[in-house]
Amino acid sequence: MIKRRDFPILNKKINGQQMIYFDNAATAQKPLAVIQAMDKYYLQSNANVHRGLNPLAEEATQAYEAARIVVADFISATPTEVIFTRGATEGINLIARTWGETNLQAGDRIVLSLAEHHSNLVPWLQLKEKLGVELVYIPLKKNGELNLVAAKKLLALPRVKLLAITQASNVLGILNPLHSLLNIAHARHIISVVDAAQSITHFPVNVQQLGCDFLVFSGHKIWGPTGIGVLYGRQELLQKMPPFLGGGEMIGAVYQDHFTVNKLPHKFEAGTPPIAEAIGLAAAIQYVNKLGWQTIQAQEQKLTSYFLERLATLKFVKVLGRPRLLSQKLPVFSLLITGIHPHDAADLLGQEAIILRAGNHCTQPLHQFFSLSATLRASLSFYNTKAEIDIFIRKLKKLYRLWNNKDNS
Amino acid sequence: MDLYAQNILDHYKHPHHQGVIAHADAHYHEVNDTCGDDIAVSLKMTGLKIKEIKFVGEGCAISQAAISILSEELVGKTKAEVLTYEFKNLEKSLGIKISERRYKCALLGLWAIQHALEKYKI
């Protein structure tokens, strides 16, 4: 059963009004269970991991490694294939710098979609600058869906070595047809990187079923803490890759003139890792497991159809991205309001305690594709309610009315 | 809901001095990459004094109203005067309190004019 009281921040008031948090795609709120798990670690078990032959270090190490097992089970990977990073962005950078730099050459092609977040774009642009690889973009249809016909053609081009693609757009809220794309990639020996930063919070992600080579996500978008993310990589690939950052933990032995690397997954975890954050992430995943994906998905589908239904009654609002099937739409809505710039709307509705995001949401090429500079985004999570949508619609109408009433010329 | 002051909405909906000055003495294109606001200014100078300002821009009410107001207010001022202009001067010109989250929106036009002037030499 969904309990809003598990998320104390949802009771917050802004300017005396009950806050409505509609910015979950930027970061999700944290349940008490996550906050308490991190507190408990700092209050009772804090020590550096994998170092020191003392009982406290052993306790901390056990908690940290137990968190890795929780994450591995959650995405159906083995623990040695789960690397803790600072977030999805660091995960993609790690792949680009290690796998990319050792396996790609000038003229090799990387296929991406036009809807990628900058974090699944800039690391590849950096490889373009450094190695001379070519980036090829899968176009979108007018309704925001990925153009699968074009994608198939692009993946058949010579020298395509990598497919780097998001499972769901953080702006359009549309799921990509990953099974088809990954099947083609697999058949053509194209390595695949799946950006699950958005999708991980909406439905179960299973790396075995997907058959991807790499997958990344961030803890804070799945009701966990900031500063922690996960990189999944197929063992065979991770083993062949050179280490990313150098330092403690990632080494086997260090001599004056050389070093050897540690085993997986520690090979890619240089320095003291985010221990409390890993424990917090595990607590978030356990919260999801307990609540159940069925409950989360059922509520989100209800919110998605209700949001679109209510929005359809407003002539002055346009939604970006309408897939043919409602089942392919997440509760993420990027909006355009006639005559009101997204910044003004986010600021003014924010004063009414409705938390939205305005801007290009780190997807400038996508906004260029739609010839837009900014949109107003409302992104919901399972703890949001129909009543909150009603208030949002009412305030949006009020804003539009006031904005235009002031026009006395 | 507390909308902006009437003068801000007026300037946003009906901006003054829009366009490009042919044979401008100075110009600059300022973009706020984090939000997509975009302002291109062109300036006509008489010596070190601003004679005319025109702009082409796209963005929120705060950014567009600010440049519209500045394109009037800064005419007749010298390069040195305008280069010392800062946020508090601008807030006074706009006549409303600008919150920290709208800081960049408000300043974009001023930055465009200042950058144009920095490049301008007699």
Side-chain angles (χ1 to χ4, degrees):
Chain A
M1 209 182 67
I2 294 165
K3 290 187 208 144
R4 270 174 70 92
R5 64 170 183 274
D6 287 347
F7 297 81
I9 199 172
L10 297 179
N11 290 325
K12 186 180 170 77
K13 288 196 165 54
I14 294 176
N15 296 336
Q17 298 185 67
Q18 171 62 47
M19 178 178 79
I20 294 178
Y21 188 74
F22 277 181
D23 199 13
N24 292 282
T27 195
Q29 298 302 347
K30 325 303 173 199
L32 257 182
V34 168
I35 299 162
Q36 283 167 347
M38 294 173 76
D39 273 359
K40 189 177 160 220
Y41 166 74
Y42 278 128
L43 291 169
Q44 295 175 16
S45 316
N46 180 48
N48 210 329
V49 292
H50 301 295
R51 293 163 177 81
L53 298 168
N54 64 68
L56 194 63
E58 187 172 288
E59 191 177 318
T61 304
Q62 278 169 359
Y64 179 65
E65 290 305 324
R68 196 190 306 276
I69 293 168
V70 170
V71 173
D73 288 346
F74 186 61
I75 57 169
S76 305
T78 56
T80 48
E81 295 173 320
V82 170
I83 318 285
F84 283 128
T85 61
R86 276 194 302 132
T89 300
E90 187 178 284
I92 296 171
N93 277 277
L94 188 156
I95 302 164
R97 295 288 164 84
T98 60
W99 184 87
E101 286 187 11
T102 43
N103 289 280
L104 297 174
Q105 289 170 357
D108 284 344
R109 291 188 165 110
I110 299 174
V111 174
L112 316 147
S113 89
L114 253 186
E116 295 313 313
H117 188 280
H118 292 164
S119 59
N120 194 25
L121 219 165
V122 179
W124 310 117
L125 282 172
Q126 286 177 307
L127 277 193
K128 181 180 186 245
E129 281 180 8
K130 204 162 181 174
L131 304 176
V133 296
E134 190 191 329
L135 269 51
V136 186
Y137 294 92
I138 305 170
L140 305 177
K141 295 192 228 166
K142 269 196 188 140
N143 70 352
E145 284 180 6
L146 197 82
N147 185 332
L148 197 54
V149 178
K152 285 177 183 166
K153 280 186 195 155
L154 294 176
L155 287 169
L157 286 173
R159 299 193 65 176
V160 174
K161 296 283 166 66
L162 185 81
L163 168 68
I165 191 151
T166 185
Q167 199 167 14
S169 158
N170 67 319
V171 173
L172 306 166
I174 298 179
L175 300 183
N176 278 332
L178 272 203
H179 283 287
S180 314
L181 293 173
L182 291 174
N183 280 341
I184 302 169
H186 195 65
R188 293 189 166 271
H189 307 291
I190 296 167
I191 296 293
S192 52
V193 176
V194 173
D195 175 1
Q198 284 301 321
S199 52
I200 197 79
T201 169
H202 296 292
F203 53 84
V205 169
N206 180 323
V207 293
Q208 305 304 329
Q209 271 175 19
L210 274 173
C212 56
D213 294 302
F214 297 103
L215 182 136
V216 300
F217 66 91
S218 298
H220 71 98
K221 288 204 166 67
I222 183 165
W223 310 290
T226 55
I228 181 101
V230 171
L231 160 67
Y232 156 81
R234 254 191 327 113
Q235 187 135 343
E236 183 201 333
L237 291 168
L238 291 176
Q239 239 139 25
K240 283 190 205 149
M241 280 149 57
F244 179 42
L245 301 174
E249 190 64 41
M250 54 72 68
I251 35 94
V254 179
Y255 306 93
Q256 285 196 21
D257 58 353
H258 74 287
F259 68 94
T260 61
V261 292
N262 202 344
K263 283 186 292 196
L264 287 175
H266 314 295
K267 171 182 164 183
F268 293 105
E269 293 180 359
T272 298
I275 306 163
E277 288 76 4
I279 289 163
L281 172 58
I285 289 173
Q286 279 159 340
Y287 184 88
V288 173
N289 290 340
K290 206 168 145 198
L291 183 59
W293 276 121
Q294 265 188 329
T295 307
I296 294 172
Q297 286 180 287
Q299 172 70 359
E300 289 198 356
Q301 268 158 22
K302 226 186 279 175
L303 293 172
T304 302
S305 25
Y306 189 66
F307 196 99
L308 289 172
E309 195 183 299
R310 289 300 316 267
L311 218 55
T313 63
L314 307 181
K315 287 205 177 75
F316 56 90
V317 182
K318 196 185 146 212
V319 193
L320 209 62
R322 289 295 288 266
R324 276 165 307 155
L325 300 171
L326 199 62
S327 60
Q328 304 303 298
K329 177 83 178 166
L330 302 176
V332 174
F333 312 93
S334 290
L335 313 173
L336 292 166
I337 307 166
T338 310
I340 308 179
H341 194 279
H343 295 171
D344 297 314
D347 186 358
L348 295 166
L349 291 169
Q351 288 172 24
E352 301 281 299
I354 302 177
I355 307 303
L356 303 157
R357 179 164 171 190
N360 58 48
H361 321 296
C362 300
T363 60
Q364 286 183 26
L366 176 69
H367 278 72
Q368 286 152 10
F369 175 77
F370 285 109
S371 302
L372 297 167
S373 61
T375 47
L376 178 70
R377 185 179 72 184
S379 53
L380 281 60
S381 188
F382 69 86
Y383 43 59
N384 289 122
T385 64
K386 284 185 173 182
E388 287 180 318
I389 295 175
D390 287 337
I391 297 170
F392 169 70
I393 296 286
R394 202 170 69 229
K395 302 255 167 152
L396 201 55
K397 278 182 178 167
K398 188 175 158 194
L399 169 66
Y400 186 72
R401 200 179 61 237
L402 287 176
W403 190 270
N404 290 299
N405 276 353
K406 282 221 168 187
D407 193 3
N408 47 17
S409 45
Chain B
M1 200 175 298
D2 210 4
L3 287 199
Y4 313 127
Q6 185 66 50
N7 70 318
I8 300 290
L9 283 178
D10 285 347
H11 274 278
Y12 175 59
K13 290 175 183 174
H14 309 289
H16 304 187
H17 308 288
Q18 260 191 321
V20 181
I21 298 173
H23 312 293
D25 297 307
H27 50 86
Y28 197 84
H29 188 183
E30 190 83 45
V31 180
N32 182 351
D33 281 327
T34 58
C35 68
D37 281 357
D38 184 308
I39 291 172
V41 293
S42 48
L43 274 67
K44 196 88 195 152
M45 305 290 291
T46 313
L48 283 170
K49 259 192 186 159
I50 298 175
K51 194 177 164 205
E52 190 188 6
I53 302 174
K54 278 196 171 184
F55 77 96
V56 180
E58 205 194 301
C60 61
I62 300 286
S63 73
Q64 301 305 303
I67 183 66
S68 175
I69 290 168
L70 285 176
S71 66
E72 268 175 16
E73 203 174 293
L74 297 185
V75 169
K77 297 247 185 319
T78 65
K79 173 179 172 176
E81 280 176 309
V82 175
L83 287 182
T84 61
Y85 233 69
E86 39 181 292
F87 183 69
K88 60 174 194 284
N89 307 86
L90 185 68
E91 213 173 22
K92 213 172 145 201
S93 312
L94 291 175
I96 58 165
K97 190 105 192 80
I98 301 286
S99 58
E100 202 179 315
R101 59 182 178 274
R102 303 305 296 273
Y103 196 81
K104 277 188 183 171
C105 306
L107 278 167
L108 195 71
L110 178 63
W111 287 338
I113 293 171
Q114 288 178 332
H115 283 135
L117 286 172
E118 273 168 13
K119 291 196 302 175
Y120 173 72
K121 303 247 163 24
I122 301 181

